[in-house]
Amino acid sequence: MRKAIRSEMAIMVDYNQSLTPPEAVRRLRVLDDEGLTWVEEPVLAHDYQGHALVAREIKTPIQCGENWWGPHDMKQAIEAGASDYMMPDVMKIGGVTGWMRAASLAEAYSIPLSNHLWPEISTQLMCATPTAHFLEYANWWNSVLAEPLELEQGMAIVKGITGSGVAWNEKAVERFLA
Ligand SMILES: [Mg+2]
């Protein structure tokens, strides 16, 4: 992939918690000079010490957060030095309130914050996040949304949308009702 796109685009790698810390260190040392933007969840999400070990041993930034349940999980990760970047999931971190607490933690520790999925509401929240980093985007829900999130040149367009940014296309939703 790096050869194909050179340095024109960011490449992120996601192991989805599949490695042990020693295996992660072994594999990621091989990738360390590829200029990856981040490596996501190389080991179990709640193995903060394991992630900290990997973070110490490799140069590529570690990215974690999509499986943290509430800001207290994030606090433990910060205290362990588990992750260079963080990407909470707005649903798991505790909705808007949980997100804003996570954003405050990220600001206090100068940690770049991205989101995990839910790009519509996450775009709104990222606008209020002092250390906002990447917006993770997926269009999986577009078919049931009244106004899917618009993108221009890789950037989400907020266009004065207020609230959660999510309104259902009720007709489309009906098709999926039993
Ligand atoms: Mg992920």
Side-chain angles (χ1 to χ4, degrees):
M1 281 181 68
R2 178 55 78 203
K3 270 186 199 139
I5 64 172
R6 299 192 193 89
S7 58
E8 289 163 23
M9 295 176 86
I11 300 177
M12 294 84 157
V13 169
D14 192 347
Y15 282 91
N16 280 316
Q17 315 183 58
S18 63
L19 306 174
T20 61
E23 178 75 353
V25 170
R26 193 180 69 76
R27 287 177 181 240
L28 295 174
R29 277 184 181 150
V30 177
L31 294 175
D32 243 351
D33 294 322
E34 296 295 340
L36 301 177
T37 301
W38 68 55
V39 172
E40 216 175 302
E41 287 191 329
V43 309
L44 290 173
H46 290 90
D47 184 358
Y48 305 117
Q49 295 300 331
H51 271 111
L53 184 152
V54 178
R56 283 194 301 272
E57 294 293 323
I58 68 163
K59 292 183 285 183
T60 307
I62 302 288
Q63 173 69 285
C64 292
E66 69 174 72
N67 287 297
W68 294 340
W69 292 89
H72 292 283
D73 276 0
M74 181 167 163
K75 175 175 172 279
Q76 287 189 61
I78 292 170
E79 286 170 350
S83 197
D84 302 281
Y85 303 151
M86 302 195 172
M87 56 181 308
D89 175 296
V90 60
M91 181 265 291
K92 295 179 186 173
I93 205 70
V96 172
T97 303
W99 180 279
M100 294 316 297
R101 289 174 180 159
S104 293
L105 276 174
E107 181 187 23
Y109 288 92
S110 301
I111 298 166
L113 206 70
S114 297
N115 65 297
H116 173 246
L117 296 178
W118 315 110
E120 294 78 16
I121 186 167
S122 297
T123 299
Q124 305 292 89
L125 293 170
M126 290 285 265
C127 290
T129 298
T131 61
H133 196 198
F134 277 86
L135 178 79
E136 181 173 71
Y137 175 75
N139 64 1
W140 302 340
W141 301 277
N142 278 8
S143 60
V144 291
L145 296 177
E147 291 182 50
L149 187 62
E150 285 181 42
L151 301 176
E152 266 178 40
Q153 299 190 343
M155 304 287 281
I157 308 297
V158 177
K159 268 193 190 162
I161 299 166
T162 54
S164 69
V166 176
W168 303 116
N169 176 338
E170 299 289 351
K171 262 210 153 82
V173 171
E174 266 174 34
R175 292 208 325 267
F176 297 101
L177 295 175

